[in-house]
Amino acid sequence: MRKRLGQVWRAAGEPAGVDRITPRETPIALSFDGRPHTVLMASPGDVEDLALGFTLTEGVARLEAIAGVEIRVQPGGLVVDIRLVEGATRGRPRPRSLEGRSSCGLCGVQRLADAVRPLPKVSEGQIFTHEALQRALIALEGLQPLGSLTRATHAAAFASADGRIVLVREDVGRHNALDKLGGALARAGVATRDGFVLVTSRCSFEMVEKVARLDCPMIVAISAPTDLAIQKAQEAGVTLVALARADGHTVFSGAERFGRASLPLEGRA
């Protein structure tokens, strides 16, 4: 983090100087077995979690196929090499030709078929309550130290079914924060099918894709979802909740996970 000087202007009042703490945004080059894959613009913390989470949520390899992660500091940023177990089953990384901006989850993907891929079905059986979701949402507000200082980052958190926050990761990019969370959950051995993910951002389809590949049954976003996000959530059996605020939230798919009191969503426009 760095402190920057600025000038505040208000319609009613004189301009005034202000000190503002800003988050760092660093190029992080990811490679697999020494072969360059992409460059992410991300916050330079929890980098190993980011590498593991990216590998898992992009469908490159399962956790048991990852032999190790090597991080090297270079003048222009960080170089991270993910080493995969020889002979282990691995997916095909989506080919990329550009850096991944912090605001974009698919920058540089070269083919339409690689942009929107079929998703696995998540595990069934978990039931949630609206009250637990709201408890987790309120708790998350106080668990974002970087966001509290800068007001310029996103958070991704995992909560247990009763609404207790288990892990939180922050980053300047919403996709990076979710990848960091995925990596941290995998390293901690957390059973993702037993809880849900909260993100302090909008919910686009690639956020649903990452949650599905983590085998997590529900994603909760504080902002609105896209139409494709809802479609992909239905495809993967993911419960998608958005517009989650202090006074309530809206369920867009998978309402059955809230029990019999929920309204059916199928066939409604």
Side-chain angles (χ1 to χ4, degrees):
M1 292 179 291
R2 295 176 180 172
K3 183 175 286 188
R4 299 289 188 178
L5 299 178
Q7 188 177 83
V8 178
W9 182 90
R10 296 285 186 268
E14 295 294 323
V18 65
D19 291 338
R20 184 82 183 189
I21 296 175
T22 57
R24 294 175 61 194
E25 189 172 20
T26 302
I28 299 178
L30 296 184
S31 62
F32 293 98
D33 292 327
R35 292 169 22 177
H37 179 61
T38 191
V39 178
L40 303 176
M41 297 303 299
S43 300
D46 301 310
V47 175
E48 186 171 353
D49 287 342
L50 174 63
L52 290 174
F54 183 92
T55 304
L56 297 173
T57 64
E58 282 290 301
V60 178
R62 296 182 179 274
L63 183 63
E64 59 269 20
I66 301 173
V69 176
E70 180 186 351
I71 302 172
R72 302 193 307 275
V73 179
Q74 294 192 351
L78 301 176
V79 176
V80 182
D81 187 42
I82 301 102
R83 298 186 304 278
L84 302 179
V85 175
E86 187 175 355
T89 301
R90 62 181 72 181
R92 183 178 65 87
R94 285 187 275 208
R96 295 171 184 248
S97 60
L98 298 171
E99 76 276 14
R101 277 82 170 189
S102 58
S103 60
C104 176
L106 295 175
C107 291
V109 171
Q110 297 168 304
R111 302 191 310 165
L112 290 177
D114 288 320
V116 184
R117 303 183 297 183
L119 296 182
K121 279 278 190 179
V122 301
S123 299
E124 299 180 356
Q126 184 57 266
I127 296 296
F128 302 104
T129 68
H130 297 285
E131 292 76 15
L133 190 159
Q134 291 299 124
R135 280 196 296 273
L137 189 67
I138 293 170
L140 181 57
E141 293 180 5
L143 297 174
Q144 302 174 61
L146 186 59
S148 296
L149 280 172
T150 66
R151 300 297 179 187
T153 58
H154 287 294
F158 181 80
S160 59
D162 62 0
R164 177 178 58 87
I165 299 292
V166 177
L167 277 170
V168 182
R169 289 294 183 265
E170 296 179 275
D171 197 274
V172 289
R174 56 196 172 95
H175 309 91
N176 299 331
L178 184 49
D179 280 341
K180 286 181 177 180
L181 177 68
L185 291 169
R187 277 156 47 98
V190 175
T192 51
R193 65 178 64 89
D194 295 333
F196 57 96
V197 164
L198 297 91
V199 294
T200 60
S201 65
R202 69 185 179 91
C203 187
S204 50
F205 83 91
E206 65 272 24
M207 301 291 275
V208 172
E209 180 179 66
K210 290 178 182 294
V211 168
R213 293 192 183 280
L214 292 173
D215 194 24
C216 185
M218 182 164 75
I219 181 171
V220 179
I222 67 169
S223 193
T226 64
D227 183 73
L228 186 55
I230 298 171
Q231 177 185 322
K232 299 303 281 186
Q234 292 170 340
E235 172 189 319
V238 171
T239 296
L240 193 165
V241 181
L243 300 171
R245 309 292 168 80
D247 61 344
H249 51 263
T250 303
V251 182
F252 288 92
S253 72
E256 64 275 5
R257 284 201 174 91
F258 287 99
R260 295 181 179 178
S262 298
L263 295 173
L265 299 177
E266 289 73 12
R268 300 176 67 191

